[in-house]
Amino acid sequence: MLDFTEEEIKRYSRHIILKEVGGRGQKKLRESSALVVGLGGLGSPVALYLAAAGIGTLGVLDNDVVELSNLQRQILHGTSDIGRQKTDSAENRIRALNPGVKVTKHCARLDKNNVERTIRDYDVIIDGVDNFAARYLLNDACFFGNKPLVEAGVLQFLGQIMTIVPGKGPCYRCVFPEPPPPGSVPSCQEAGILGAVAGVLGVLQATEAIKLILGIGKPLVGRMIIYEALSGSFREVGFRPNPKCPLCGEKPSITELVEYPVACEEQRQDAVT
Amino acid sequence: MEQPKPQVKADKEINLKGEVCPYTFVKSKLAIEEMLPGQVLRVIVDYVPATKNVPRSMQNEGNSVLDVSKLNDNDWQIVVRKG
């Protein structure tokens, strides 16, 4: 029937039933692509839910191998994957979940020489990185490349998420103009992270990415959701574009990609998320 | 006495005999999505709960249900105008 196989109709029936999705929306998902940057605590649920949702092409980017200490939160990988490249492990897991998804592996660390061509072919970018250098690089590259970015970060029992759509609202630098001084913010390796908190934020990111692709609802543009797991509370903080933003403000000082050094305590990819 | 219903010509017909919920609605919805507002879809089902569920869901999505009636011992028709 129509363009869907019987298998697809069954697999996506709970989506198709939704008024806001329907067959049209499901087709949009199938024709769309998303890039998950970082296959850790955030990227794991993002990749799994986007794959389950039937996204057409899923790019997965990470340069690390799976370690035992990852598995407390990085549900994309299993115990038997220890020592494997995360992109390989992710590909297997995604294929097992939904063979209809095309997986594109990027076994690389983002830098200013590869970021623009890496994000170019994707409709939505999801930030699941573990260090400020990559976070700012991705924000800047998505601004220059006019790509929507679903941004999130987690630490201990806290998480925050915002969606950045260039020209439609504030960017990451509007809120946090420069990275914090090295060492001022502890990494998850030092400070810890409750695995499930990364899961909550990653699932919110996947939801935001799907909303952007379908063009439904109200994206978290200019709104940051802060989740505080211990008190069990969600807070929303509104932000406007900052006219003094060094990237997207009136007199930008950043006109090309800048690469910050990765702080030494952040160098290990398994340090955060 | 119930008046005989005026016959409406269907623009599209789908046979969903053998299908159960929710696929009766899922497939009806996929069919009507491809149609133009005002066009009429005729759905044939043999799963009795679908004769309640499909019309209700179709109405929830803004379509009008023109007829739900038994065709024979096994089959029902659901006639819907796209909203």
Side-chain angles (χ1 to χ4, degrees):
Chain A
M1 180 181 286
L2 299 165
D3 288 344
F4 291 108
T5 63
E6 281 293 315
E7 190 266 339
E8 285 175 311
I9 290 173
K10 289 221 156 48
R11 183 183 285 272
Y12 303 121
S13 58
R14 269 56 170 183
H15 271 173
I16 294 167
I17 287 170
L18 292 170
K19 197 187 281 186
E20 293 79 357
V21 183
R24 294 228 169 91
Q26 196 58 50
K27 265 185 225 166
K28 262 193 212 169
L29 282 166
R30 193 173 64 189
E31 287 157 8
S32 299
S33 59
L35 175 66
V36 184
V37 184
L39 302 173
L42 289 169
S44 285
V46 171
L48 288 171
Y49 271 104
L50 290 181
I55 189 125
T57 303
L58 191 58
V60 291
L61 186 148
D62 206 302
N63 195 32
D64 270 354
V65 297
V66 179
E67 296 186 20
L68 183 56
S69 64
N70 299 156
L71 301 182
Q72 156 261 20
R73 64 201 179 284
Q74 302 185 11
I75 58 173
L76 199 49
H77 318 291
T79 305
S80 61
D81 295 316
I82 290 167
R84 295 180 75 199
Q85 284 292 331
K86 287 187 177 176
T87 43
D88 291 338
S89 158
E91 182 186 35
N92 281 15
R93 185 79 175 79
I94 292 163
R95 288 257 162 83
L97 175 60
N98 190 347
V101 174
K102 180 174 180 271
V103 179
T104 304
K105 293 188 284 184
H106 303 270
C107 188
R109 182 172 269 279
L110 281 186
D111 60 39
K112 66 180 181 183
N113 299 314
N114 66 16
V115 63
E116 285 178 308
R117 73 181 129 86
T118 305
I119 66 173
R120 189 185 301 146
D121 295 331
Y122 292 96
D123 299 317
V124 182
I125 316 296
I126 298 104
D127 180 355
V129 304
D130 64 351
N131 64 82
F132 285 107
R135 197 173 296 278
Y136 280 83
L137 185 66
L138 202 52
N139 174 69
D140 296 358
C142 286
F143 173 75
F144 290 130
N146 197 29
K147 296 285 182 188
L149 171 66
V150 185
E151 162 62 45
V154 289
L155 193 68
Q156 296 183 334
F157 298 94
L158 282 172
Q160 60 186 41
I161 172 173
M162 66 187 284
T163 296
I164 299 163
V165 180
K168 298 267 170 65
C171 77
Y172 194 70
R173 286 187 189 271
C174 289
V175 185
F176 307 109
E178 295 290 332
S184 62
V185 178
S187 67
C188 286
Q189 182 177 290
E190 296 169 294
I193 169 73
L194 192 77
V197 171
V200 170
L201 272 294
V203 172
L204 288 175
Q205 284 183 291
T207 310
E208 281 293 296
I210 291 168
K211 281 165 61 186
L212 285 174
I213 289 166
L214 296 179
I216 60 171
K218 204 169 119 189
L220 286 171
V221 171
R223 297 184 292 144
M224 181 179 283
I225 299 257
I226 298 166
Y227 175 54
E228 212 288 294
L230 286 181
S231 61
S233 59
F234 284 92
R235 277 193 300 137
E236 183 181 314
V237 181
F239 292 100
R240 293 210 182 95
N242 178 357
K244 291 184 179 154
C245 175
L247 181 68
C248 70
E250 285 159 6
K251 289 179 189 159
S253 57
I254 297 165
T255 53
E256 57 181 33
L257 293 173
V258 286
E259 213 168 295
Y260 297 101
V262 176
C264 61
E265 68 272 23
E266 293 177 344
Q267 270 171 355
R268 286 166 57 91
Q269 187 87 15
D270 70 339
V272 187
T273 75
Chain B
M1 276 276 290
E2 198 179 333
Q3 295 295 312
K5 291 178 178 120
Q7 287 298 304
V8 183
K9 190 185 161 293
D11 297 285
K12 190 191 269 189
E13 180 170 319
I14 51 170
N15 183 345
L16 299 181
K17 284 158 67 168
E19 295 280 358
V20 298
C21 298
Y23 305 107
T24 44
F25 172 60
V26 169
K27 291 190 173 182
S28 303
K29 179 171 173 172
L30 287 172
I32 210 165
E33 272 188 14
E34 301 295 305
M35 296 168 66
L36 299 169
Q39 287 191 317
V40 173
L41 172 69
R42 184 167 181 257
V43 183
I44 311 296
V45 296
D46 60 5
Y47 183 69
V48 177
T51 63
K52 295 269 188 288
N53 297 337
V54 171
R56 189 175 56 224
S57 300
M58 279 292 180
Q59 265 172 342
N60 284 344
E61 300 224 332
N63 306 296
S64 5
V65 176
L66 305 180
D67 183 41
V68 181
S69 55
K70 205 166 184 187
L71 297 175
N72 55 47
D73 284 350
N74 300 314
D75 306 335
W76 294 69
Q77 72 163 6
I78 303 160
V79 182
V80 184
R81 189 187 296 280
K82 178 160 175 164

